[in-house]
Amino acid sequence: MENRQRQRLERVREAMAALEIPAMLVCKKENKLYLSGFCSTSYYVVITQGEGFLLTDSRYIEAAQTNPAGLTPVLLKGENTLSRFLKDLSVSSLAVEEEEVSVAFYKALSEKLRGTALVSAQNIIEGCRMIKDQEEIALLRQAEAIGDQAYSHILGFIREGVREKELALELELYMRKRGAQGLSFETICASGPRSSLPHGTATDRRLQTGDFITFDFGCVYEGYCSDMTRTVALGEVSREMEQVYQIVLEAQKAGIEAVCGGKSCEEVDRAARDVIKYYGYEAAFGHGLGHGVGLEIHEAPTLNPASTGELRENMVVTVEPGIYLAGKFGVRIEDLVIVKKDGCEILSSSDKALTIINGG
């Protein structure tokens, strides 16, 4: 663990050196955890080319002594403020995650660090986080396994008259009982006409025979997120519903087959999108094919028509095409995959064939 944390610090230092950045203030929760391995609600990480510091208050200073990255603990108390510590570094410039801090924080820092230029952190750490190490992959694998178990569990609760909110709550309770710290995001459980809402969070609507029900959910395990989507049917479905489901499944398989190291993100998106376009539903697929997943549920890279990057080995991304017919129904199918040199490994194991539940 300690070696891995130190390796992460060195990768960030190399990226800083390439941009001639002598020091960085890390405020973003996920970036602090990635570098330090330290779980707390109140601390900063400061990195220079030769040293690393973990700055916190009296509540956490004892725990900070044993942080896995070996960062030097610094107690913030009295006159030993964050700005005083940064000023004493005497660096020409300091990288700040400007999208993470408030305007007031940034202005105050600028005033107190006169003579030190504040520069953009330029997503340096996020760029390092795109490539997962083996420890991260193991945690993502476990998080997704909990999601698979939860999906199998929830199928037994689907019946006519049950509320969407009840299903969403049952999913959360089940995942927490199996080790999840919480949810990756608010659970999407959208049934019947509401399934045409790509982000239709659960309501008091009761399931009816003939509904499609879309579940998009995930949990957080040891800081890492899972993400999966399945669409199931309650009772008989129309011919149109079955056809749309099969089109989305075909598109999802095409997207997965396109994933491999060196492939452009736009090309992977196009592989799935072209299937949906072929069948005349292009206008009904408005979002991107996928996104990176890790400490955050939405990370780089992105898979969409405007993407400019390319996939690299050990990135972890979703593949989630959908078709949404307003006022009628929608279908989305999503897996989490690890990018490999010559393909990908699917972390989700739940069946993707159309599941029809006869729950009266």
Side-chain angles (χ1 to χ4, degrees):
M1 178 70 170
E2 290 186 7
N3 286 339
R4 190 163 287 127
Q5 297 293 156
R6 294 174 192 274
Q7 289 168 4
R8 293 175 185 177
L9 283 166
E10 287 309 309
R11 286 200 299 272
V12 171
R13 286 193 176 102
E14 289 172 6
M16 290 168 58
L19 296 168
E20 299 183 341
I21 293 174
M24 181 189 299
L25 170 64
V26 185
C27 300
K28 185 174 181 177
K29 176 181 69 174
E30 293 82 7
N31 288 345
K32 291 186 295 184
L33 179 60
Y34 177 76
L35 293 176
S36 71
F38 184 66
C39 294
S40 167
T41 57
S42 181
Y43 73 107
Y44 302 98
V45 170
V46 175
I47 309 167
T48 69
Q49 283 301 326
E51 298 179 278
F53 305 92
L54 195 159
L55 293 76
T56 188
D57 60 37
S58 60
R59 296 171 296 170
Y60 306 106
I61 192 65
E62 182 179 355
Q65 303 289 336
T66 56
N67 68 87
L71 300 170
T72 301
V74 176
L75 175 63
L76 297 179
K77 183 179 180 180
E79 294 184 356
N80 190 30
T81 62
L82 173 65
S83 57
R84 171 64 64 84
F85 176 85
L86 294 172
K87 188 174 184 64
D88 288 346
L89 287 179
S90 299
V91 291
S92 59
S93 62
L94 175 73
V96 179
E97 298 165 313
E98 72 273 26
E99 293 183 359
E100 188 64 24
V101 301
S102 68
V103 172
F105 179 95
Y106 192 89
K107 288 176 67 176
L109 205 59
S110 298
E111 292 172 2
K112 293 175 181 178
L113 297 183
R114 296 184 184 280
T116 298
L118 300 187
V119 300
S120 172
Q122 302 184 51
N123 293 317
I124 288 173
I125 300 174
E126 286 84 353
C128 295
R129 282 172 45 200
M130 283 197 295
I131 310 297
K132 274 43 178 190
D133 59 40
Q134 291 308 305
E135 179 185 334
E136 292 179 290
I137 288 174
L139 294 174
L140 286 163
R141 194 185 300 278
Q142 180 58 31
E144 195 71 359
I146 293 172
D148 278 320
Q149 294 163 17
Y151 174 69
S152 296
H153 174 75
I154 205 64
L155 293 179
F157 285 77
I158 297 174
R159 62 184 184 279
E160 190 168 21
V162 70
R163 291 184 175 91
E164 294 172 350
K165 283 183 177 178
E166 294 176 276
L167 295 174
L169 178 60
E170 185 61 32
L171 276 171
E172 179 176 0
L173 287 172
Y174 186 90
M175 290 188 291
R176 281 186 174 272
K177 287 178 180 178
R178 274 147 187 81
Q181 296 167 288
L183 300 177
S184 303
F185 52 92
E186 186 176 359
T187 298
I188 293 169
C189 178
S191 63
R194 294 192 68 255
S195 61
S196 69
L197 302 172
H199 280 187
T201 52
T203 68
D204 285 321
R205 184 185 185 275
R206 296 181 183 272
L207 304 191
Q208 300 176 20
T209 298
D211 281 349
F212 264 154
I213 308 108
T214 295
F215 295 99
D216 188 346
F217 62 100
C219 70
V220 179
Y221 179 78
E222 298 293 329
Y224 284 80
C225 300
S226 68
D227 194 1
M228 67 177 292
T229 305
R230 293 293 185 269
T231 301
V232 302
L234 177 59
E236 294 297 320
V237 298
S238 69
R239 181 175 177 81
E240 181 185 27
M241 291 168 73
E242 184 171 3
Q243 287 177 335
V244 168
Y245 188 95
Q246 296 304 327
I247 292 168
V248 173
L249 182 57
E250 183 180 339
Q252 208 250 358
K253 289 180 177 177
I256 288 174
E257 289 173 0
V259 172
C260 69
K263 186 74 70 71
S264 76
C265 295
E266 180 276 330
E267 188 177 353
V268 175
D269 176 272
R270 180 157 32 92
R273 198 170 300 276
D274 281 351
V275 173
I276 292 174
K277 181 179 180 180
Y278 174 82
Y279 289 101
Y281 288 98
E282 182 181 15
F285 177 28
H287 58 74
L289 180 65
H291 54 85
V293 175
L295 288 167
E296 296 177 270
I297 191 59
H298 289 100
E299 298 186 349
T302 57
L303 308 178
N304 62 52
S307 295
T308 57
E310 68 175 33
L311 294 178
R312 295 168 59 190
E313 192 170 5
N314 288 334
M315 287 181 170
V316 176
V317 297
T318 65
V319 180
E320 50 179 309
I323 292 176
Y324 312 94
L325 305 179
K328 297 174 71 174
F329 63 86
V331 176
R332 182 165 68 255
I333 303 169
E334 174 188 22
D335 286 319
L336 195 59
V337 306
I338 306 169
V339 179
K340 301 292 187 180
K341 182 178 180 180
D342 300 313
C344 69
E345 177 190 349
I346 302 174
L347 292 180
S348 326
S349 62
S350 298
D351 191 6
K352 291 183 285 191
L354 176 57
T355 298
I356 298 178
I357 297 170
N358 296 310

